[in-house]
């Protein structure tokens, strides 16, 4: 099975935002919201010895996605290819997954009231096309491919050129979005936009540890009750309502 | 991708299809860009050309039920190869902007009040024609001026030449590229053109002088720049501001504004003194080297250091880096280069530096244009205008282009009535209040007019001063005159084909010009009935057919970009008077100007004031896109960049609201402060295009500050009439009441 990954070359990226707008256009993301965001770090240093960097943020399709655990309705799940998907028909817009995501990569669509985020353009992949952001990138700074394929660009960039993940000692969720480029540039970005520890306890974790079994039990109990009633009805026949 | 080979292969396909069944455009379309999906929607894909800026990138419009649902890059386009910037991707938000001009409008109130009456196209064009006829009788046709811009502007240029006026001027000359085209033509015998013929992919060193690539997005140039970076090309960024390009540069030279010629002379000094220039190339192709060597002998890095406020060692190091990388060095000629009034001379200095490095016509430098034959109509000769140009092109400004003209010269003539009065303006595809500096003067000129006509897509501020407003179809709804690009590695032709029908009552530029011509009895200059007929004539000598072009959107031809490709040619690759690269310019000497560039001292800001500099953001083009829903959401207003030191002195913090006030007391709208180490202490920086004052633009109205509004002074280049616009100073006034 493919293990999809995306690599952004921070040396090449000029923060032109083509990826943001292409993604918005492809997926009907309302203006002001985004599935992929470009952010510039503040300029650091003292004139004239300065440095700055660019960060392209999106869903990292983590190996251990905290959002999946946090989702109470089962709308967020991870496919065998590693892509984290949101089933819009199951999403209740509770926002627990927003708290859980260390990369702030999710938003709630104000029109549909459902959560939305990057899915590596899964629908495009299924038609043999690359993600919209990769196709449009003016600086040719984005690469997409399969880490299981030793000949892919992403394999070379990750394993030979040492593209890195945005992880810290506190946040290790196995992101599959990588960043290539000079160490110093990546360090700047990491210092400016570190992943935030998932806020699971208050929301998702409490849900998954306590509420989830309770609700499941309740759902199960309801089902049993319904079944009992149904069989009772079968046995006894339907009674007319009395006015 | 080898476009030449694929073109032949494609021609083969056409022939096969043609032999079998009737080759319809649909069949060919299916061959190149089959219907597909956009998001989860099934769409037709129509190849066309972007106009969110003027780089002319290839676009595929994804159309479902007559509605453009998505734009994407056209992978078949020889230059942009499927890449498309943020603005290009946001084009549908222009098409469906509810603020668009929808109907022809006739002014009912006073100029500037914005009171109009909706009229029909018949009424509008009858009005226009009758006024133009009356003006021709009363004042002569030469008293009508045209301000054109863009591909469809050609139809209006034809119309006005046929009408009999010589007065047409585009801001792309006197407010943008003019000085460099003149400076490089004086040196190499040919202008650079657009897109700039820069061999960035192959370059080993890129020298940016005030050019902030990255914030200034020309798609294919960004791709090439980024490719060069990833291949290890070095970058020298000369800029008073720490731009995106500077953040990627190996050397950032935060130069004292206006002193670039001193730096360029010092670089030449080092190259020649240390023998780092390309002597073989100079001997073979150039004249005037000895004069140049003598001229720059005194301009040492130490001399330049005192002027530019850059360390002498850094000047020397960067010159050596150029010498080591030659000839694969691109000294980027810049794009908007009208800064200090000595701009032609700065362009000359850059051209001479390019020559010393042997880069012109060499791999990794600047490549030579390859012409492609273009068809022409058999038109009657244009009438001789009763009087010569009013803007001084060719006379007061001896080296100004008589084809592109001097916009500010026309404004001056309108205000003063000299050399003769200008009574009417027709503005097409540009915004004279944002593109031309000294908008106060422009308004004064408009006040003196009998007739002001604006052809536009959006209700920008200038329409409020128009007598007649003609709503044009957007680039996605119209056919435009084909774009023929000779300045790419492979020359190509591309066309803007309509992706959908015009909305409301908007009409394409070609239709407006042709219908006006009909009413003026000038039909003979528009001897075609449909866009297809027009296109067929233009591409007739190109050995391609219209269906192929329609299917692909663009077709490329083999290029001969390097001097080596021209070795067997009998003509000199340098069409100057001497047939050589003219390091020393006899032409300038004859005009009484410096035949070799010389640094002229620049004025410092008065106490308490900062020099106003300005530039671009990647998500906006000029003042054209600020109302676009998607782009506005990404950047709704600009910020005033101030150095940490300036901000501290003024007691300002990041995000504070200020107004900028210039030395003539003109104030900007309120703007937020960005406090940064990334700008020189003597400068303030604004992104251009904000602070618009048209209520009709609901998103852009009064958001941010206009740099143009603060340009009450310019320094005019005596050689070509360009307006130096970086000569304005502002002080920062804290706003205590917010908006």
């Amino acid at each position: 099975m493919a293990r999809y990954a995306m690599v952004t070359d921070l040396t090449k990226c000029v923060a032109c935002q083509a990826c943001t707008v292409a993604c918005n256009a492809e997926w009907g993301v309302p203006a002001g919201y985004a599935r992929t965001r470009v952010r510039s770090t503040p300029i650091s240093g003292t004139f004239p010895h300065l440095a700055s960097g660019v960060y392209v943020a999106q869903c990292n399709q983590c190996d251990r996605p905290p959002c999946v655990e946090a989702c109470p309705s089962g709308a967020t799940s991870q496919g065998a290819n590693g892509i984290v998907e949101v089933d819009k028909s199951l999403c209740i817009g509770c926002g627990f997954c927003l708290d859980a995501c260390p990369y702030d990569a999710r938003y709630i669509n104000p029109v549909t009231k459902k959560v939305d985020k990057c899915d590596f353009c899964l629908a495009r992949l299924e038609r043999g096309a690359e993600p919209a952001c990769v196709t449009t990138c003016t600086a040719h700074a984005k690469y997409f491919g399969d880490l299981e394929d030793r000949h892919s660009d992403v394999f070379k960039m990750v394993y030979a050129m040492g593209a890195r993940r945005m992880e810290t000692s506190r946040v290790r969720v196995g992101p599959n979005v990588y960043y290539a480029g000079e160490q110093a540039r990546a360090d700047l970005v990491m210092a400016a936009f570190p992943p935030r520890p998932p806020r699971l306890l208050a929301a998702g974790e409490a849900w998954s540890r306590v509420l989830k079994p309770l609700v499941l039990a309740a759902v199960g109990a309801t089902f049993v009750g319904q079944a009992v009633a149904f069989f009772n009805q079968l046995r006894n026949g339907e009674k007319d309502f009395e006015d | 991708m080898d476009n030449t080979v694929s073109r032949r292969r494609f021609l083969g396909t056409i022939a096969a299809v043609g032999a079998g069944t009737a080759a319809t455009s649909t069949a060919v379309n299916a061959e190149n860009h089959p219907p597909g999906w956009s998001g989860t929607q099934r769409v037709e894909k129509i190849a066309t050309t972007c106009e969110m800026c003027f780089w002319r990138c290839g676009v595929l419009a994804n159309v479902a039920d007559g509605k453009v649902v998505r734009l994407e890059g056209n992978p078949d386009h020889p230059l942009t190869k499927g890449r498309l910037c943020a603005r290009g991707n946001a084009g549908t938000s222009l098409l469906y902007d509810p603020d668009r001009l929808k109907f022809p409008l006739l002014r009912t109130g006073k100029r500037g009040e914005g009171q109009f009456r909706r009229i029909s196209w018949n009424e509008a064009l009858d009005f226009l024609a009758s006024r133009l006829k009356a003006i021709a009788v009363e004042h002569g046709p030469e008293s009508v001026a045209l301000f054109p811009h863009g591909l469809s502007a050609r139809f209006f240029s034809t119309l006005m030449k046929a009408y009999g006026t010589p007065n047409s001027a585009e801001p792309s000359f006197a407010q943008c590229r003019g000085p460099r085209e003149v400076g490089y033509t004086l040196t190499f015998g040919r202008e650079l053109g657009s897109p700039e013929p820069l061999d960035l992919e192959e370059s080993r060193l890129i020298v940016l002088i005030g050019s902030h690539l990255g914030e200034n997005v020309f798609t294919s140039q960004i791709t090439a720049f980024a490719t060069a970076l990833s291949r290890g090309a070095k970058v020298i960024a000369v800029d008073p501001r720490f731009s995106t390009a500077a953040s990627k540069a190996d050397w950032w030279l935060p130069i004292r504004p206006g002193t670039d010629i001193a730096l360029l002379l010092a670089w030449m000094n080092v190259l020649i003194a240390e023998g780092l220039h390309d002597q073989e190339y100079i001997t073979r192709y150039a004249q005037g080297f000895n004069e140049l060597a003598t001229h720059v002998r005194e301009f040492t890095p130490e001399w330049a250091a005192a002027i530019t406020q850059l360390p002498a060692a850094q000047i020397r190091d960067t010159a050596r880096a150029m010498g080591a990388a030659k000839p694969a060095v691109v000294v980027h000629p810049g794009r908007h280069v009208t800064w200090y009034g000595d701009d032609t001379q700065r362009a000359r200095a850059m051209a001479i530096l390019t020559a010393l490095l042997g880069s012109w016509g060499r791999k990794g430098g600047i490549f030579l244009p390859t012409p492609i034959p273009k068809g022409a109509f058999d038109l009657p000769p244009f009438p001789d205008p009763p009087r010569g140009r009013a803007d001084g092109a060719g006379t007061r400004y001896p080296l100004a282009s008589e084809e592109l003209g001097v916009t500010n010269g026309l404004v001056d003539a309108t205000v003063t009535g000299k050399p003769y009065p200008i009574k009417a303006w027709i503005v097409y595809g540009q915004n004279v209040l944002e593109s031309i500096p000294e908008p106060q003067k422009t308004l004064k000129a408009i006040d003196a007019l009998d007739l002001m006509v604006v052809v536009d897509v959006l209700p920008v501020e200038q329409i409020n001063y128009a007598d007649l407003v003609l709503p044009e179809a957007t680039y996605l709804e119209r056919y435009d005159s084909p774009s023929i690009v000779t300045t790419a590695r492979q020359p190509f032709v591309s066309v803007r084909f309509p992706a959908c029908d015009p909305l409301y009552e908007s009409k394409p530029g070609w239709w407006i010009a042709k219908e006006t011509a009909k009413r003026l009895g000038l039909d003979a200059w528009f001897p075609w009935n449909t866009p297809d007929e027009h296109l067929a004539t233009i591409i007739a000598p190109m050995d391609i057919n219209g269906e192929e072009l329609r299917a692909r959107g663009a077709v490329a031809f083999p290029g001969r970009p390097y001097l080596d490709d021209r070795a067997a040619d009998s003509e000199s690759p340098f069409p100057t008077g001497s047939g050589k690269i003219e390091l020393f310019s006899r032409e300038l000497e004859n005009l009484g100007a410096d035949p070799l560039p010389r640094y002229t001292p620049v004025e410092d800001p008065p106490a308490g004031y900062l020099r106003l500099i300005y530039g671009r953001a990647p998500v906006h083009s000029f003042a054209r896109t600020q109302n676009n829903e998607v782009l506005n959401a990404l950047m709704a207003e600009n910020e005033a960049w101030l150095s940490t030191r300036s901000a501290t002195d003024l007691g300002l913090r990041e995000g504070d609201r200020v107004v900028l006030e210039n030395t003539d007391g003109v104030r900007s709208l309120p703007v937020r402060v960005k406090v940064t180490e990334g700008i020189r202490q003597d400068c303030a920086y604004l992104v251009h295009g904000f602070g618009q004052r048209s209520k009709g633009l609901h998103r852009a109205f009064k958001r941010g500050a206009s740099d143009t509004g603060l340009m009450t002074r310019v320094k005019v280049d005596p050689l070509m009439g360009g307006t130096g616009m970086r000569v304005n100073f502002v002080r920062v006034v804290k706003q205590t009441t917010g908006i």
Side-chain angles (χ1 to χ4, degrees), chain A residues 9-18 20-22 24-27 31-32 43 45-48 50-52 123-124 127 132 134-140 185, chain B residues 37-40 70 82-86 89-90 214 217 219 222-223 226-227 229-230 242 244 247-248 252 254 618-619 629-630 633-634 641 676-680:
Chain A
D9 187 339
L10 299 179
T11 302
K12 292 170 94 180
C13 175
V14 294
C16 78
Q17 313 240 38
T20 310
V21 182
N24 278 29
E26 182 82 16
W27 300 111
I43 294 169
T46 309
F47 184 95
L50 307 177
S52 73
R124 284 174 65 100
R127 298 194 295 265
V134 175
T135 306
T136 208
C137 178
T138 63
H140 209 322
R185 208 176 284 275
Chain B
W37 294 84
S38 179
T40 51
R70 162 96 160 96
R83 309 275 152 184
L84 194 63
C85 77
N89 274 294
V217 174
T219 306
I222 294 294
T223 314
T227 304
L229 285 175
S230 70
F242 191 66
T244 301
S247 78
K248 296 181 183 295
W252 174 44
V619 298
E629 186 185 15
V630 172
L634 287 172
W641 289 43
T676 175
E677 284 290 288
I679 189 165
R680 280 175 60 98

Side-chain angles (χ1 to χ4, degrees), chain B residues 441-706:
Chain B
K441 194 202 266 185
T442 307
L443 285 174
K444 211 170 145 193
I446 292 172
D447 217 32
L449 294 174
D450 288 351
L451 176 69
M452 162 98 165
V453 182
V454 172
V455 187
D456 217 324
V457 170
L458 286 168
V460 297
E461 192 186 356
Q462 65 181 2
I463 73 145
N464 292 326
Y465 298 90
D467 300 287
L468 181 66
V469 180
L470 302 176
E472 202 197 7
T474 64
Y475 70 99
L476 292 167
E477 302 160 299
R478 67 172 193 250
Y479 164 80
D480 269 351
S481 186
S483 161
I484 297 163
V485 171
T486 58
T487 53
R489 183 184 302 277
Q490 289 182 300
F492 63 91
V493 58
S494 69
V495 182
R496 190 166 285 141
F497 291 108
C500 62
D501 292 332
L503 288 176
Y504 318 112
E505 287 183 13
S506 67
K507 293 284 185 186
W510 66 262
W511 183 90
I512 300 171
K514 193 170 152 57
E515 288 295 312
T516 308
K518 211 182 272 177
R519 284 166 171 79
L520 290 169
L522 305 173
D523 307 59
W525 283 275
F526 290 84
W528 43 273
N529 292 310
T530 62
D532 282 347
E533 275 182 49
H534 182 264
L535 177 63
T537 302
I538 302 285
I539 64 169
M542 288 181 190
D543 183 29
I544 48 172
N545 75 39
E547 295 309 325
E548 177 188 1
L549 191 54
R550 190 178 295 273
R552 295 170 67 90
V555 174
F557 302 86
R560 301 196 302 151
Y562 301 125
L563 284 169
D564 287 348
D565 301 324
R566 319 265 173 133
D569 290 8
S570 55
E571 270 176 46
S572 162
F574 302 104
T576 55
S578 61
K580 297 239 175 191
I581 300 170
E582 302 206 340
L583 303 176
F584 181 94
S585 172
R586 288 266 172 257
E587 198 174 344
L588 285 177
E589 191 181 43
N590 292 340
L591 288 169
D594 288 328
L596 287 160
R598 189 175 290 283
Y599 165 68
T600 44
V602 67
E603 196 185 348
D604 272 324
Y609 284 82
L610 304 169
R611 181 181 300 278
L612 178 65
I613 56 175
Y614 53 87
R616 305 280 304 269
V619 298
H620 287 295
S621 306
F622 309 137
R624 295 164 60 90
T625 54
Q626 283 72 10
N627 205 58
N628 180 295
E629 186 185 15
V630 172
L631 301 175
N632 183 278
L634 287 172
M635 185 181 186
E637 57 186 60
N638 55 0
E639 298 171 299
W641 289 43
L642 298 179
S643 70
T644 319
R645 183 80 178 276
S646 302
T648 310
D649 291 349
L650 293 160
L652 290 168
R653 281 185 306 194
E654 179 89 5
D656 281 352
R657 285 268 178 193
V658 298
V659 294
L660 303 180
E661 183 190 275
N662 75 6
T663 44
D664 292 322
V666 171
R667 287 189 165 203
S668 73
L669 291 168
V671 60
R672 282 202 179 84
V673 165
K674 177 187 169 88
V675 179
T676 175
E677 284 290 288
I679 189 165
R680 280 175 60 98
Q681 225 188 91
D682 50 3
C683 297
Y685 173 81
L686 287 177
V687 167
H688 172 72
F690 290 88
Q692 300 200 31
R693 294 173 191 262
S694 170
K695 283 185 185 149
L697 302 173
H698 286 96
R699 292 189 194 87
F701 181 55
K702 287 195 173 177
R703 298 298 296 271
S706 165

Side-chain angles (χ1 to χ4, degrees), chain B residues 86-124:
Chain B
R87 298 159 299 173
N89 274 294
T92 51
S93 297
L94 171 67
L95 173 60
Y96 299 115
D97 191 332
D99 286 346
R100 269 182 66 176
L101 291 169
K102 301 177 179 72
F103 317 102
L105 299 171
L106 193 66
R107 185 162 60 81
T108 53
K110 283 189 194 143
R111 279 219 172 107
E113 277 184 351
Q115 300 294 317
F116 294 97
R117 176 165 72 83
R118 175 181 169 181
I119 56 172
S120 70
W121 272 104
N122 254 336
E123 198 181 339

Side-chain angles (χ1 to χ4, degrees), chain B residues 322-383:
Chain B
M322 284 182 230
K326 73 169 187 295
V329 181
V330 171
V331 179
H332 195 301
R335 183 97 183 168
H336 165 78
V337 291
T338 41
W339 302 346
Y340 298 99
D342 58 358
D343 306 298
T344 302
Q345 291 289 5
R346 187 183 64 252
R348 275 269 299 150
M350 292 164 73
I352 293 168
L353 178 66
T354 298
L356 285 178
L357 295 165
S359 307
W360 186 279
R362 306 280 285 281
K363 199 173 172 184
I366 293 179
F367 42 66
L368 302 164
T370 313
I372 22 180
K374 177 191 165 186
F377 291 93
D378 189 16
L379 300 181
F382 291 118

